[in-house]
Amino acid sequence: MARKPGSSPSAIKNRAARTAAALAPAGQAAAAAAPKAPKKPFNPVQFFREVRAETRKITWTTRKETWITSVMVFIMVIVASLFFLLVDWLLGAGANLLLKFAAG
């Protein structure tokens, strides 16, 4: 059975050290912090290779799926607009009725 990422003993120790440093008072946290590893230089060629690899993983919808989804959205817009039209009409009628009683 494969291990989950970050479940190795060294990863667990690193997480425990970071948690302890975050919970320690400010003066102790700065002294206990390990020096940071040097930052890797940015490689644009490698970046675009990775972007291309991730783009290949995308599953695009078919024309039929896009059409069905668009029709469903259109139907929901009509249903929602009819609902809000009805609610607006009822609240407006109620407000007019209340104002007639108040003026009368």
Side-chain angles (χ1 to χ4, degrees):
M1 185 167 183
R3 282 187 168 192
K4 292 182 181 178
S7 65
S8 68
S10 61
I12 293 170
K13 287 179 186 176
N14 288 339
R15 273 198 309 274
R18 283 195 308 259
T19 304
L23 297 176
Q28 291 177 346
K36 291 185 179 180
K39 188 175 177 182
K40 292 182 181 178
F42 177 70
N43 184 350
V45 175
Q46 179 66 23
F47 173 76
F48 284 111
R49 266 192 226 132
E50 291 173 6
V51 168
R52 209 165 151 213
E54 290 297 320
T55 306
R56 287 188 191 121
K57 296 177 186 178
I58 297 173
T59 55
W60 299 99
T61 58
T62 63
R63 185 176 296 267
K64 183 178 178 182
E65 290 172 331
T66 304
W67 173 251
I68 290 171
T69 305
S70 300
V71 169
M72 292 302 294
V73 167
F74 185 69
I75 290 169
M76 288 306 298
V77 166
I78 290 174
V79 168
S81 64
L82 290 174
F83 170 75
F84 286 115
L85 178 71
L86 177 67
V87 169
D88 182 53
W89 180 78
L90 288 173
L91 290 175
N96 281 336
L97 188 63
L98 187 64
L99 289 174
K100 284 182 185 177
F101 283 133

